[in-house]
């Protein structure tokens, strides 16, 4: 990307949202048996499936960055790597990066009968406002964007890449804990609120305490894979 003039070395990020969306549109389905969004299950479940399966398919190198002082990629790089994996797995889904709404840009807009917004965080905090400046990774502030309709969507979720912290950071209002997904890098686990929903979260990374997939999927509608004719296209 640097050689092609598409990388901002100072910001450690791709030049623009327009360029990122153009790159996303080039992604082809690479899974030999792609998944699809199931029109017969709830759209909240479909959104959760995207989060789970995108993380599960990520490569270890997509979670590291040699040029960043912390060793972890910036938020946009992490989220874009996740998006590439989702695009490669699901055949009937539209994913738009930095979709504009009247007051703010949502990190991802997901369509394919889901019609949802998804905000990404890295090492989320529960810090109060520091004077007039908002903490960029404040999970309550990100949640508020949805609750106040800055993002005009009915369904939403927040995905926090907890690359350093071992504690799960959740909004102060526990009524919305189920809207927050936390990838805990130290244990390679994925939580919804305080509930563990997959371990390992990333298939190709070690997991200290793996849980059998069959056990985790007892309460989850697993996205079906296409076999033969196309089904459930949104």
């Amino acid at each position: 990307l640097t050689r092609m003039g598409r990388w901002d070395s100072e910001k450690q990020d791709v030049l623009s949202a327009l360029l990122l969306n153009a790159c996303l549109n080039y992604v082809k389905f690479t899974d030999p048996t792609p998944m699809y969004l199931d029109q017969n299950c709830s759209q909240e479940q479909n959104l959760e499936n995207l989060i789970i399966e995108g993380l599960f398919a990520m490569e270890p190198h997509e979670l590291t960055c040699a040029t960043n002082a912390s060793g972890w990629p910036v938020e946009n790089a992490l989220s874009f790597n996740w998006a590439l994996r989702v695009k490669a797995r699901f055949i009937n889904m539209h994913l738009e990066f930095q979709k504009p709404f009247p007051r703010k840009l949502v990190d991802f807009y997901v369509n394919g009968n889901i019609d949802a917004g998804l905000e990404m965080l890295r090492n989320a905090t529960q810090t109060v406002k520091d004077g007039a400046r908002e903490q960029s990774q404040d999970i309550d502030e990100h949640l508020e964007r949805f609750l106040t309709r800055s993002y005009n969507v009915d369904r939403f979720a927040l995905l926090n890449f907890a690359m350093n912290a071992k504690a799960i950071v959740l909004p102060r209002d526990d009524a919305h804990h189920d809207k927050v997904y936390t990838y805990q890098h130290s244990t390679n686990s994925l939580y919804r609120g305080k509930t563990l929903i997959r371990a390992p979260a990333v298939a190709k990374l070690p997991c200290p305490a793996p849980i059998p997939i069959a056990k985790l999927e007892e309460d989850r509608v697993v996205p079906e894979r296409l076999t033969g004719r196309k089904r459930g296209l949104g």
Side-chain angles (χ1 to χ4, degrees):
L1 289 174
T2 301
R3 181 174 54 81
M4 299 172 68
R6 297 179 178 179
W7 185 258
D8 187 325
S9 57
E10 183 176 336
K11 295 180 179 178
Q12 288 295 299
D13 203 353
V14 178
L15 287 178
S16 70
L18 179 63
L19 177 58
L20 286 174
N21 276 305
C23 292
L24 273 178
N25 287 332
Y26 279 115
V27 176
K28 305 299 181 184
F29 307 115
T30 56
D31 195 311
T33 54
M35 294 178 173
Y36 73 96
L37 301 177
D38 190 346
Q39 294 179 342
N40 296 317
C41 75
S42 73
Q43 302 315 330
E44 287 77 10
Q45 183 66 68
N46 273 328
L47 181 58
E48 180 172 292
N49 286 339
L50 293 182
I51 293 170
I52 290 174
E53 299 299 340
L55 267 174
F56 198 65
M58 286 182 74
E59 295 287 337
H61 72 269
E62 294 171 341
L63 294 160
T64 60
C65 181
T67 60
N68 189 295
S70 70
W72 314 126
V74 294
E75 173 197 343
N76 280 355
L78 283 168
S79 59
F80 189 69
N81 286 334
W82 169 87
L84 289 175
R85 295 298 167 183
V86 170
K87 287 275 290 185
R89 301 203 89 183
F90 285 85
I91 199 169
N92 62 332
M93 178 212 53
H94 169 71
L95 193 65
E96 183 176 347
F97 179 72
Q98 294 284 288
K99 179 178 174 63
F101 283 95
R103 286 187 281 172
K104 284 187 179 289
L105 301 173
V106 68
D107 285 342
F108 288 101
Y109 172 71
V110 187
N111 203 1
N113 297 319
I114 291 185
D115 188 27
L118 182 60
E119 277 283 277
M120 304 294 207
L121 300 95
R122 187 190 70 159
N123 298 329
T125 63
Q126 202 186 55
T127 310
V128 295
K129 302 293 185 295
D130 179 15
R133 180 174 61 86
E134 293 179 345
Q135 301 292 327
S136 64
Q137 300 299 306
D138 187 329
I139 200 162
D140 289 291
E141 191 274 330
H142 278 70
L143 173 65
E144 194 69 13
R145 297 177 191 179
F146 290 107
L147 299 181
T148 59
R149 308 293 289 187
S150 290
Y151 305 141
N152 190 25
V153 292
D154 293 325
R155 283 174 286 275
F156 64 89
L158 292 85
L159 174 57
N160 174 33
F161 287 87
M163 305 304 291
N164 296 328
K166 294 183 179 180
I168 295 175
V169 176
L170 296 170
R172 298 184 186 280
D173 185 352
D174 58 10
H176 301 293
H177 284 185
D178 65 338
K179 299 296 186 183
V180 178
Y181 294 81
T182 303
Y183 165 64
Q184 203 168 57
H185 188 62
S186 62
T187 59
N188 190 16
S189 305
L190 179 65
Y191 291 81
R192 181 178 184 179
K194 296 179 180 179
T195 304
L196 177 65
I197 60 174
R198 176 166 275 190
V202 178
K204 294 185 179 180
L205 285 177
C207 180
I211 296 179
I213 294 295
K215 175 65 176 175
L216 290 172
E217 291 178 346
E218 286 178 358
D219 299 320
R220 184 168 81 95
V221 178
V222 182
E224 294 187 44
R225 293 183 177 273
L226 290 175
T227 54
R229 63 190 181 88
K230 295 181 180 179
R231 301 171 53 198
L233 298 182

